[in-house]
Amino acid sequence: MDELYELRNVLFIDVGFSIPYLLMQKRFANRNDIFSILIDKEQNCKIFYDFINQTVHQNRSELDSVIIADIEYEEDQKSIISFAKNIVQRESVNVLFICGSELVEHLNDKENFWTFCKGIEEIGVNTLCYVTLPIGKKIPSHNFHFIDEDCAYLELEKHMILSKIEVLRPSADAVSPYLTSCFCAFGSIRHLPEEGNSR
């Protein structure tokens, strides 16, 4: 998340959040120029957020918004985008930062995430995106998997203009029977098919 730290006046949009990054790291928690929308379809995510907020003693409740919604539904997408637009206008946000960490593989249709990203970008503010994809065998709870790094790269390159990629591999004591690595990518949203991006 170093890319996020370098930005100013940011709206951080975390889709399917698992760990509230801004609460867990002091370098983010103390920043009053980073606003966030934490999105999850599970009702208990608000309880989880409140627990973390109280546990780490970093009160970001005025800067963070937890939204119970499913980006695979068009109406939920529209509602989130409208909410984000209001924050951008009210707080004079300069950058939108979309986080899709450990998300895409859980969707019924991964194209719904990219449709959502393009809708967010249409707000009209500089939009950046961070996405991770699992590499290896399909985990039973996942709907998608990527056999190798090339497959992950091609998937992301279709939708993003990639400015940074990194492959994370598990340590020797954390070997998975399914996953061999995690493909991480940072960049902006791609629109024109003819735009190239060499590896």
Side-chain angles (χ1 to χ4, degrees):
M1 304 303 290
D2 290 341
E3 289 78 13
L4 174 61
Y5 182 72
E6 299 297 327
L7 302 172
R8 296 293 180 269
N9 297 329
V10 187
L11 176 56
F12 177 67
I13 303 173
D14 194 357
V15 186
F17 77 96
S18 54
I19 298 176
Y21 295 102
L22 304 187
L23 291 173
M24 300 304 291
Q25 298 185 34
K26 285 186 178 180
R27 62 176 179 161
F28 294 132
N30 296 328
R31 291 271 300 275
N32 60 9
D33 68 328
I34 301 181
F35 304 88
S36 74
I37 299 176
L38 307 174
I39 306 162
D40 202 291
K41 63 182 179 181
E42 301 297 336
Q43 292 289 334
N44 60 8
C45 72
K46 181 63 168 65
I47 298 172
F48 175 62
Y49 169 84
D50 290 339
F51 173 76
I52 296 294
N53 195 20
Q54 295 170 8
T55 301
V56 299
H57 305 293
Q58 299 288 353
N59 186 12
R60 286 190 49 88
S61 56
E62 294 185 3
L63 300 172
D64 299 339
S65 302
V66 178
I67 296 181
I68 312 298
D70 188 344
I71 64 160
E72 300 219 70
Y73 291 99
E74 183 179 355
E75 289 306 311
D76 281 6
Q77 285 198 21
K78 289 180 179 178
S79 177
I80 297 165
I81 293 167
S82 175
F83 188 82
K85 186 174 183 178
N86 288 336
I87 294 177
V88 168
Q89 294 173 341
R90 185 181 72 238
E91 305 296 345
S92 300
V93 166
N94 294 326
V95 183
L96 294 166
F97 190 109
I98 304 168
C99 179
S101 179
E102 299 180 21
L103 167 74
V104 173
E105 60 269 26
H106 293 282
L107 300 176
N108 293 316
D109 183 352
K110 57 184 182 291
E111 294 302 315
N112 288 322
F113 173 69
W114 302 112
T115 300
F116 172 75
C117 289
K118 290 174 182 176
I120 288 291
E121 189 181 42
E122 288 175 2
I123 291 174
V125 177
N126 181 29
T127 303
L128 302 172
C129 189
Y130 174 80
V131 181
T132 68
L133 296 179
I135 308 298
K137 298 178 182 178
K138 183 177 178 295
I139 293 178
S141 62
H142 290 179
N143 293 322
F144 299 97
H145 73 296
F146 302 87
I147 293 295
D148 55 31
E149 296 167 18
D150 287 338
C151 289
Y153 176 85
L154 290 173
E155 170 66 20
L156 292 172
E157 200 267 345
K158 284 192 304 183
H159 301 285
M160 296 175 65
I161 299 172
L162 301 172
S163 57
K164 182 179 180 180
I165 59 174
E166 184 177 8
V167 178
L168 303 179
R169 292 180 173 80
S171 59
D173 58 348
V175 176
S176 166
Y178 297 101
L179 302 182
T180 58
S181 59
C182 178
F183 196 97
C184 310
F186 171 74
S188 57
I189 307 303
R190 181 182 295 281
H191 283 282
L192 301 175
E194 63 269 22
E195 290 180 357
N197 189 60
S198 58
R199 189 169 185 182

